[in-house]
Amino acid sequence: MKKQLLSKSPFPQLLSIQMKKIFTFLLGLLGVGSLQEAAAQTLQNNTQLHIQAGAGIYVQGSMMNSSASLVNLQNNGTLSLTGNLTNNQSTAFAATGKLAFIGTTAQVLNGSTAWVTKDIEIDNTAGLTLNSAFNVHGTLNFKSGVITPAVGLPVFVDNGTHINAKDASHVNGTVVKIGTGAFSFPIGNGIKLQKLDVNITVNDFFVRASYSAGDVVGLGGAYTSAGSRPTPLAGRNTGEYWNLFNGSGSSYTGQVTVFWDGTNDTNNGVVPSVRRVARRQGTDWLNEGGNNIMGTITAGSVTSNSITVPASTNQIITLGWEDQVLPLSWLNVNATDTKDQKVQVQWQVSESNVATYIVERNINGAG
């Protein structure tokens, strides 16, 4: 192994652990295989490589796992790379392992096999492109940089979750969630995080979601009473929508939470109390209810009723709203001339939360 493969680490303590617990171990493997340099600053694994818990390997450059039979990488520690990672072999699930992309130029995950791990960290403002999938059983930490799925997708398995998603670091594309429970899809358009939350109670496989700005091309549709809330919608946001695909062999059941933040919103002026979750089914837009409405006209969220989505179908989700109802109904209005150049106005109304009344007059008598 040449020295540049393990160059000076930005994590001295990590390198110290690596040298103590890993380097000696790797030398012991030379009798059954080899770790060799495939190109300048590229680490190629053609053997069984195990990173012990609490230890780590820092690769200043790229790494490739061979496709040869009987090879395996077991990461129970931390594997950090500044370059690309190519995985062509089975990667054993690591109960405590973490994969960290910490480069300063754009990085790529390649290979014929998905990378399976507990934790993943992206700390690269230039971003990460996925030509192969990764499966997260623990936590994906969005420290910096956008993840862009090309061929592969980020997959959150069962209790897999994420932290620190934001405008500067999220997934610009599709994210997969396997299993049930509450989950927030860390998706956006590469510039803005536009998450979609779900709470799935019944699901025998996976759900995937992505975000799109603009209106749903070619999908006008009528507002009907066939949703979980029978009141037809009066309108919907035509500035953005989310694709929610049910990959299960049967229907799944759960709730969806839609957020608005002033970006790509066409619902300015609609009071939060009448905002609802809108779902496209067939040629119709359904009202899926509005629970836990929070926020203001410019920023907030609304959660749907529990809805059931058919197997292997794609659902379009966006923000909708019902008719805005005035806070009062006029029952009677009467104006009387008091003969002293004054008019006495009396009225009777049915009201709710009306703060004050203002009487106006027309100075020219018209209208």
Side-chain angles (χ1 to χ4, degrees):
M1 180 180 293
K2 296 186 178 181
K3 290 184 178 179
Q4 61 261 41
L5 293 180
L6 297 173
S7 59
K8 186 176 180 181
S9 171
F11 313 108
Q13 186 177 9
L14 178 62
L15 181 59
S16 174
I17 295 173
Q18 166 196 328
M19 295 299 291
K20 181 178 180 181
K21 294 186 178 180
I22 295 297
F23 190 66
T24 301
F25 176 72
L26 295 180
L27 290 177
L29 288 175
L30 293 179
V32 294
S34 64
L35 281 170
Q36 55 184 281
E37 184 181 4
Q41 293 187 319
T42 296
L43 176 66
Q44 181 163 332
N45 175 32
N46 293 323
T47 184
Q48 293 187 359
L49 172 61
H50 290 187
I51 305 176
Q52 298 175 1
I57 289 182
Y58 168 78
V59 181
Q60 186 171 339
S62 298
M63 179 175 176
M64 175 179 289
N65 284 322
S66 169
S67 60
S69 61
L70 301 179
V71 295
N72 189 31
L73 187 149
Q74 178 74 47
N75 178 19
N76 290 315
T78 299
L79 173 61
S80 303
L81 303 98
T82 64
N84 300 332
L85 174 61
T86 300
N87 184 44
N88 292 325
Q89 60 168 291
S90 61
T91 305
F93 170 68
T96 59
K98 181 172 77 172
L99 171 64
F101 292 93
I102 57 172
T104 56
T105 59
Q107 292 179 266
V108 181
L109 176 60
N110 296 305
S112 58
T113 307
W115 187 276
V116 180
T117 186
K118 180 175 183 287
D119 300 324
I120 289 185
E121 177 182 294
I122 175 171
D123 190 7
N124 182 349
T125 56
L128 170 67
T129 298
L130 301 183
N131 289 331
S132 182
F134 63 68
N135 294 355
V136 181
H137 289 253
T139 302
L140 169 57
N141 186 358
F142 290 97
K143 297 188 74 174
S144 67
V146 172
I147 297 175
T148 303
V151 179
L153 300 177
V155 179
F156 291 84
V157 181
D158 296 329
N159 294 323
T161 187
H162 60 85
I163 57 175
N164 298 323
K166 48 191 171 287
D167 291 346
S169 191
H170 57 270
V171 177
N172 180 17
T174 300
V175 170
V176 177
K177 158 66 178 172
I178 294 177
T180 59
F183 183 75
S184 180
F185 284 95
I187 50 181
N189 59 5
I191 300 174
K192 185 78 174 176
L193 172 69
Q194 300 285 33
K195 64 180 181 177
L196 182 73
D197 288 3
V198 296
N199 189 0
I200 303 172
T201 55
V202 178
N203 177 30
D204 65 6
F205 194 16
F206 74 88
V207 177
R208 69 178 184 230
S210 62
Y211 170 81
S212 296
D215 197 8
V216 186
V217 178
L219 294 181
Y223 300 124
T224 74
S225 59
S228 59
R229 179 176 169 86
T231 304
L233 295 168
R236 63 180 175 85
N237 184 9
T238 57
E240 62 185 356
Y241 62 94
W242 291 262
N243 281 292
L244 191 62
F245 178 79
N246 175 17
S248 302
S250 59
S251 60
Y252 81 79
T253 302
Q255 293 176 288
V256 178
T257 299
V258 174
F259 297 81
W260 65 89
D261 59 5
T263 301
N264 299 324
D265 290 343
T266 61
N267 49 275
N268 291 334
V270 178
V271 296
S273 61
V274 298
R275 299 191 183 194
R276 305 290 183 259
V277 174
R279 177 167 68 101
R280 172 87 178 188
Q281 181 169 285
T283 59
D284 298 328
W285 285 98
L286 310 184
N287 183 348
E288 298 298 0
N291 302 291
N292 301 321
I293 300 174
M294 296 184 291
T296 64
I297 287 179
T298 56
S301 64
V302 58
T303 300
S304 73
N305 298 327
S306 181
I307 57 178
T308 298
V309 176
S312 303
T313 58
N314 186 61
Q315 304 291 303
I316 305 297
I317 304 292
T318 192
L319 182 69
W321 53 85
E322 297 176 6
D323 282 324
Q324 300 186 68
V325 180
L326 292 176
L328 82 165
S329 297
W330 291 97
L331 302 179
N332 181 46
V333 179
N334 184 48
T336 303
D337 186 356
T338 62
K339 306 300 183 180
D340 56 356
Q341 295 185 334
K342 295 181 180 180
V343 176
Q344 184 181 51
V345 180
Q346 296 176 310
W347 62 86
Q348 183 180 7
V349 297
S350 173
E351 66 175 45
S352 175
N353 297 323
V354 176
T356 187
Y357 292 89
I358 299 175
V359 177
E360 298 181 347
R361 69 185 180 93
N362 190 322
I363 62 175
N364 59 15

